[in-house]
Amino acid sequence: MSLKFIQQNYLKYNKGKGFICGHVDALHATPPAADVFTDKIVESLIKKTGCAGIISSVSRNEADLNRSPNGDNDHAIKEYRDAVKKIVEFLNILDDEQNHITQPYLHLSFHGMKDTHYGPYGIEIGTVHGQSCSPIIKKWFLETITRKASEILPEIEIVFDEKFIGDESIVYHRLGDGIDYSGYHHHFHTFQIEISRTIRSKHRSKIITIFSHMINEFQKNFVNNYS
């Protein structure tokens, strides 16, 4: 079954089914300079889990959605941030008065890296050294993905916050940028995920299984039990 997306000028998004507190995105999905297969990963996770998702429809060379506004990408960043807001509004977890979300929220941003960085089975998780998520959620994420990856694809080597720690813009969803984007406060947890070319091209179904598990476990452990 094909997914229906809301088309915008710089991206397309799907609000999900309304019960998973989180979204996945592929912000460098469009050629040239595309992180190939990241759009396929996002589409599959939307279908498999019911979460929301955002996929770029312009190249990063035209407007990089994984950055702060810089004069050249301002309209694109506004559109991206508006899409995130539409998703949290659809989930009915936005406190309009405070502009904070009221439930734990998981944001997985998928990117591609070369096999030469950590080998053909490398994955790096970036949190800007813990600024884009809470210490509790980071610890849970590390332990859960390590355990699940060892079951599904034991060759995977996972590193955290070494070469690709994440652009500072991923922190702003949580803490705001101090200018005109207030962020969504402490319930918002972002992980930037860099995946090797080999995994994206040859083991995509396995990586989708791993991250489906992460999304469902987050929902079960932190959202459904939240009070």
Side-chain angles (χ1 to χ4, degrees):
M1 185 175 66
S2 61
L3 285 170
K4 292 183 179 180
F5 285 92
I6 298 168
Q7 294 284 162
Q8 305 284 277
N9 293 317
Y10 300 94
L11 56 84
K12 60 183 182 180
Y13 70 98
N14 181 294
K15 293 182 182 179
K17 294 184 177 178
F19 61 87
I20 294 290
C21 275
H23 80 271
V24 293
D25 59 41
L27 303 182
H28 294 156
T30 303
D35 291 347
V36 293
F37 306 118
T38 53
D39 56 341
K40 302 301 182 187
I41 292 170
V42 164
E43 288 172 2
S44 295
L45 288 171
I46 295 170
K47 289 179 181 177
K48 195 162 185 175
T49 68
C51 72
I54 303 172
I55 299 174
S56 66
S57 55
V58 298
S59 169
R60 73 179 87 186
N61 296 342
E62 180 179 341
D64 194 337
L65 300 177
N66 192 46
R67 293 292 183 272
S68 304
N70 58 21
D72 294 326
N73 66 355
D74 292 8
H75 292 296
I77 297 303
K78 183 180 185 306
E79 193 171 275
Y80 173 55
R81 291 175 176 177
D82 285 348
V84 175
K85 187 173 184 179
K86 293 290 186 185
I87 291 167
V88 298
E89 287 176 337
F90 179 64
L91 288 166
N92 198 31
I93 60 170
L94 182 64
D95 181 332
D96 289 322
E97 189 174 323
Q98 298 292 327
N99 203 48
H100 294 167
I101 53 174
T102 58
Q103 294 281 331
Y105 188 94
L106 181 65
H107 169 210
L108 304 181
S109 188
F110 290 95
H111 297 264
M113 65 179 176
K114 297 177 181 178
D115 286 2
T116 51
H117 291 298
Y118 298 107
Y121 293 95
I123 291 180
E124 178 159 12
I125 313 294
T127 66
V128 196
H129 300 299
Q131 295 184 74
S132 67
C133 60
S134 74
I136 290 172
I137 298 299
K138 184 177 181 180
K139 180 176 184 290
W140 165 84
F141 198 97
L142 187 153
E143 292 173 350
T144 306
I145 194 171
T146 301
R147 181 172 61 252
K148 192 64 179 178
S150 68
E151 297 172 8
I152 303 297
L153 192 60
E155 300 94 329
I156 284 181
E157 178 171 342
I158 301 172
V159 298
F160 267 73
D161 287 319
E162 291 189 12
K163 292 178 182 176
F164 303 106
I165 65 171
D167 186 79
E168 64 180 0
S169 61
I170 69 173
V171 177
Y172 298 154
H173 296 304
R174 180 176 173 84
L175 303 179
D177 63 5
I179 304 172
D180 58 3
Y181 185 47
S182 62
Y184 294 102
H185 210 48
H186 66 279
H187 279 315
F188 205 103
H189 308 282
T190 297
F191 296 87
Q192 181 168 304
I193 300 156
E194 301 276 349
I195 305 175
S196 71
R197 175 64 180 255
T198 292
I199 293 176
R200 282 177 284 136
S201 60
K202 296 182 179 179
H203 302 284
R204 199 157 57 250
S205 64
K206 292 182 179 178
I207 208 69
I208 289 163
T209 297
I210 290 168
F211 284 103
S212 294
H213 176 77
M214 299 298 296
I215 292 166
N216 290 328
E217 285 295 295
F218 180 87
Q219 183 74 21
K220 181 175 74 174
N221 292 328
F222 299 103
V223 181
N224 294 346
N225 291 331
Y226 182 77
S227 59

